[in-house]
Amino acid sequence: MRRRVVHDPETAAATSSSSDFGESDEPAMPQKPPQPEKKPNSDLLMRTIFTFVMVGIFLITQYVGQTLGIVLVVFCQILMFREVMRINRKRNMENELPGFYTLPWYMFVVCNGFTVIQALRMPLARTWPWIDDWLKHSTFIAFCLYMLGFMAFVLSLKPIKLLDTLGSKLKRRGGNNQTVQKQPKQKFFRYQFNQFGWLHMGLLAFSVMSSFFFSTMLEGMIWFTVPISCVVHNDSWAFACGRLFGSVPLIPTLSPKKTWEGFLGAWFFTTLWAFWFSDFLSKQKRFICPKMHFLSPIECEASETFIAQPYDVPYFLEFALGQIVMIKPVQLHSIAFAAFASLGAPFGGFFASGLKRAFNLKDFGDLIPGHGGMIDRMDCQVLMALFVYVYVSNFVSDHGGICAASSVVTLCFTRMEPRQKIELFNALGQQLKDSGVKMVNGMAVLE
């Protein structure tokens, strides 16, 4: 039986950094006694238990609504950033740079805080109007804070005691001190710039992209729940179909266990799930109503997106379905979500697999027993978040699916000068008159 090896990114990074300089100043750690091998059944049991735990947390989030969903996404962002920054970290090098470890977290707070505020700006301003004076300058504030972090990084690029220590050690061994002093400095600066680039990759891939969950969540929880469930179902069906029918490898260099049969079979079953699940959720207001105020209950009238509409059936299917079928537009949108969850989002997982192979990792962490780290569970979801945001912005919000335009106009109206308000009022009055609207007892009604 092969022995399961768990790779610790920080330990591996520290080992590789010691080899870069020839010798480590840290005392050798005593080797741990060999651990007993874990049985496959115990791994499967832990994976099953924590799968139900994650499903339970997800269901509670759906019941509570957008506020808890926002908190959950931010928590996942923090854990994903922590895991990605651990991969290439070298402790013995950072110990010689005071504050260098805190710099990535400072940049994360700035970047993530900016994206969260931008996504939640509308409901924040409607809930607490006084905060809008600060929010309208959020871009400038975020830029200034980022520049502080950038300047702090540049100022950290300086020689350190570690170079002199290593130079003196190698000089005592008979080496050339001038050569020794130059080479470690280049390696140290290279590490700092590598970490700076690694920091921005982590911010883009896991912080910025996952922040699109906030925007779609505010449009209605259905645009958050259905896409996430599609990714989860696709992963489950790909495993089941691959085990039952799989024979042709999909991408053997990255995921040897993935097969074409599992890939295509998961697409079919995920589409069926999305079509039914979107219809089920569209009957509940807590899922279809947008969140425009944090302290007010969710209440709205169902838009046309959630009301069944007649659609013509292709002639070759008329024998089974008839000439016309009644389908809710949200069900057609869910088919697009299922398609991307099956054909596009898995490449986020393939990317993560390639990254793990590049650094000889089994998992990104051990936060979730049986599953690995947070990135191992969210690698496909971050791509899904970006797709749903782009799709909803192009094909739902602009086509009457979710109309928050009145809220936007109201907020803009409150910021106008009195003269601008009068001009807008007169222009709207003329537009209403031309549209056949008349005023009755101070209320606008259709003629």
Side-chain angles (χ1 to χ4, degrees):
M1 179 181 295
R2 296 183 61 184
R3 189 169 185 176
R4 183 183 176 188
V5 179
V6 179
H7 184 87
D8 185 359
E10 295 188 5
T11 303
T15 304
S16 61
S17 64
S18 299
S19 61
D20 288 341
F21 293 99
E23 183 176 344
S24 174
D25 294 334
E26 300 179 359
M29 298 297 293
Q31 295 185 353
K32 297 181 179 180
Q35 300 294 328
E37 297 182 357
K38 294 184 178 180
K39 298 181 180 180
N41 290 338
S42 63
D43 290 342
L44 179 60
L45 177 61
M46 293 299 297
R47 184 181 180 89
T48 303
I49 292 175
F50 277 88
T51 296
F52 282 104
V53 171
M54 290 187 290
V55 170
I57 295 175
F58 182 73
L59 293 177
I60 294 174
T61 303
Q62 305 311 303
Y63 179 80
V64 175
Q66 285 92 336
T67 303
L68 183 58
I70 292 169
V71 174
L72 180 62
V73 172
V74 172
F75 179 70
C76 293
Q77 288 177 323
I78 295 173
L79 294 178
M80 287 190 293
F81 184 76
R82 173 179 175 269
E83 291 174 357
V84 76
M85 291 306 300
R86 288 178 59 196
I87 294 176
N88 200 38
R89 185 187 177 198
K90 299 179 181 179
R91 286 180 177 272
N92 62 337
M93 299 182 75
E94 293 188 3
N95 289 340
E96 300 295 333
L97 282 174
F100 190 78
Y101 175 73
T102 61
L103 178 62
W105 285 104
Y106 169 82
M107 301 293 272
F108 171 78
V109 171
V110 172
C111 178
N112 215 54
F114 173 72
T115 56
V116 172
I117 289 176
Q118 288 298 106
L120 306 182
R121 180 174 179 176
M122 186 63 62
L124 285 174
R126 289 175 62 87
T127 307
W128 301 283
W130 58 269
I131 204 175
D132 189 54
D133 292 334
W134 293 91
L135 295 181
K136 63 184 179 182
H137 301 301
S138 59
T139 304
F140 180 77
I141 295 174
F143 173 77
C144 293
L145 294 176
Y146 175 85
M147 283 303 303
L148 289 177
F150 179 78
M151 290 186 290
F153 167 76
V154 174
L155 293 176
S156 70
L157 298 173
K158 56 185 179 181
I160 57 174
K161 294 190 299 181
L162 177 63
L163 305 180
D164 298 332
T165 302
L166 290 173
S168 61
K169 285 184 178 181
L170 294 178
K171 185 176 180 180
R172 289 196 300 268
R173 296 180 180 180
N176 187 341
N177 188 38
Q178 295 181 351
T179 303
V180 170
Q181 291 282 358
K182 182 178 180 180
Q183 185 66 18
K185 181 188 295 187
Q186 293 175 351
K187 289 186 178 182
F188 197 89
F189 282 178
R190 188 181 302 121
Y191 170 74
Q192 290 178 282
F193 278 104
N194 283 342
Q195 287 299 91
F196 194 69
W198 194 260
L199 159 67
H200 285 77
M201 186 206 74
L203 292 176
L204 176 63
F206 300 108
S207 178
V208 176
M209 291 183 64
S210 60
S211 67
F212 289 109
F213 274 131
F214 302 128
S215 300
T216 54
M217 198 183 306
L218 293 177
E219 300 279 11
M221 285 299 288
I222 192 171
W223 308 108
F224 173 75
T225 306
V226 172
I228 285 184
S229 68
C230 286
V231 173
V232 175
H233 270 262
N234 181 262
D235 186 56
S236 301
W237 283 113
F239 175 78
C241 294
R243 290 291 297 269
L244 294 175
F245 313 108
S247 60
V248 182
L250 180 62
I251 306 180
T253 56
L254 296 178
S255 296
K257 297 182 180 180
K258 300 292 179 64
T259 62
W260 277 102
E261 292 81 0
F263 189 69
L264 299 177
W267 182 13
F268 174 76
F269 287 107
T270 303
T271 302
L272 296 181
W273 160 261
F275 191 82
W276 172 83
F277 193 49
S278 59
D279 175 60
F280 173 75
L281 294 183
S282 65
K283 302 174 183 177
Q284 306 179 47
K285 285 190 176 182
R286 67 169 58 249
F287 286 96
I288 66 175
C289 293
K291 183 76 170 179
M292 301 306 299
H293 198 286
F294 282 112
L295 302 180
S296 299
I298 294 179
E299 187 66 29
C300 69
E301 295 294 331
S303 66
E304 294 182 357
T305 302
F306 309 108
I307 299 175
Q309 309 289 336
Y311 290 91
D312 294 330
V313 177
Y315 71 92
F316 57 86
L317 294 177
E318 289 183 357
F319 73 95
L321 302 176
Q323 295 183 344
I324 296 177
V325 294
M326 300 296 292
I327 300 176
K328 297 177 181 179
V330 68
Q331 292 178 277
L332 301 180
H333 296 315
S334 70
I335 294 177
F337 296 156
F340 187 83
S342 303
L343 306 179
F347 281 85
F350 299 147
F351 175 86
S353 297
L355 184 63
K356 288 188 289 187
R357 289 178 180 273
F359 288 90
N360 194 28
L361 301 174
K362 182 182 183 298
D363 294 314
F364 284 101
D366 55 1
L367 175 69
I368 311 173
H371 291 268
M374 185 59 67
I375 298 179
D376 293 292
R377 293 296 89 201
M378 296 293 292
D379 48 11
C380 300
Q381 297 287 5
V382 292
L383 275 182
M384 194 69 190
L386 177 59
F387 171 76
V388 174
Y389 172 78
V390 173
Y391 182 91
V392 171
S393 300
N394 283 271
F395 301 109
V396 180
S397 295
D398 295 337
H399 292 77
I402 304 169
C403 187
S406 60
S407 303
V408 178
V409 172
T410 302
L411 182 60
C412 293
F413 184 78
T414 59
R415 301 175 182 170
M416 293 181 177
E417 298 294 332
R419 177 182 56 82
Q420 296 174 318
K421 292 180 179 180
I422 294 175
E423 293 176 356
L424 177 61
F425 180 81
N426 293 333
L428 291 176
Q430 186 62 41
Q431 289 287 338
L432 292 173
K433 184 178 179 180
D434 295 341
S435 303
V437 178
K438 63 179 181 178
M439 300 299 295
V440 176
N441 297 327
M443 300 294 294
V445 296
L446 289 173
E447 293 181 346

